[in-house]
Amino acid sequence: MHTVAVLVLDQVVPSDFTVPIDTFGWARLPDGRDAYRVRVCGPADEVTAAGGAFTIKAPYGLDALAEADTIIVPGVADPALALPAEVVDALRAAAANGTRIASVCVGAFVLAATGLLDGLRVTTHWVAADTLAALHPGIEVDANVLYVDNGQFLTSAGAAAAMDVCLHMIRKDYGSAVAAHAARMSVMPLEREGGQAQFIVHDQPPAPAGATLEPLLAWLEDNCDRDLTLDEVATRAGMSTRTLNRRFRDQTGTTPLQWLHRARVRRAQHLLETTGHPVERIAVQAGFGSPTAFRERFRRVVGTSPQAYRRSFRSVN
């Protein structure tokens, strides 16, 4: 039987370790037998969950990591804290033996602290992606995906994405039929459409308070449904296109047209969430030249199609 060890450290994020336990626990072989043996392991007999709501007893110590076929590394409340040396040693030893290791959400910080992710493409919760990249410049952080499979090492986004990566591993271990059964029992599609990008709040690049472009940015937001040209925007700002581009770079970090594209996508997201308007109408209302241009730009920014986004986030009947 395939053994999965779930590592629990002090201040572990509750959903990060419970989701893998449940998902692997639902997996059954065709004859009805359990597909996995799941063990909760830790450097201490008992740890406190993030937020202090409860404590968790770890029946197995770090030595159990050496016997596991797969190790799951959940996140902790403060992922930037130094990792205990014995945890680093145990994870590195397991990796040296070829053990598959997967992180959940900000558990990527824990795994990155061992050096095992150096040179690899990884993911984590989109909110923490910039921090992970800054702390570990030797890894490539992709905040747009639900999980990344590097073979021996896997990383996933938020806690819900733990289910995605666990189902992916079940399918690799036992095939699609076993994974599909686990997905049904978890009330989860075997493969979700789109990536993590659809959950990211795409704020406009901020302009400093009192910046000279503030009135222009407000005007662009209000008029993003119009077919605006760079010359028209520059005329509205009372400056040349060259000066406008330079001011935009200085004050927002991007170009006028890129800023406008993002404003249009934001408006489209709002309309998809709050109205039943057809995609063709929303394309016009958001200022895109055609439904095709709208779909292409939306997928590029959000990571999924307008219709799939609506199915996930629409708030009205």
Side-chain angles (χ1 to χ4, degrees), residues 7-17 47-51 56 74-77:
L7 174 65
V8 290
L9 304 176
D10 196 42
Q11 295 297 304
V12 63
V13 178
S15 57
D16 283 11
F17 83 91
V47 298
T48 301
I56 303 149
V76 294

Side-chain angles (χ1 to χ4, degrees), residues 196-263:
Q196 190 179 185
Q198 63 189 300
F199 301 99
I200 298 174
V201 178
H202 292 281
D203 292 327
Q204 297 290 4
T212 57
L213 288 181
E214 278 191 309
L216 179 64
L217 298 181
W219 180 82
L220 284 173
E221 191 85 39
D222 292 339
N223 292 273
C224 68
D225 58 322
R226 294 175 50 195
D227 184 17
L228 299 172
T229 66
L230 184 59
D231 287 338
E232 186 175 355
V233 176
T235 299
R236 175 73 187 188
M239 59 185 72
S240 68
T241 56
R242 182 176 180 181
T243 300
L244 176 67
N245 278 321
R246 186 175 68 251
R247 294 276 178 85
F248 248 84
R249 284 289 185 189
D250 291 343
Q251 296 185 25
T252 72
T254 189
T255 67
L257 292 182
Q258 288 298 322
W259 199 97
L260 185 58
H261 286 321
R262 186 57 57 85

Side-chain angles (χ1 to χ4, degrees), residues 168-180:
H168 171 70
M169 288 187 282
I170 292 170
R171 182 165 53 185
K172 290 182 69 174
D173 293 339
Y174 294 109
S176 295
V178 174

Side-chain angles (χ1 to χ4, degrees), residues 227 264 283-284 286-294:
D227 184 17
R264 287 169 172 161
V284 174
F288 291 92
S290 70
T292 299
F294 168 47

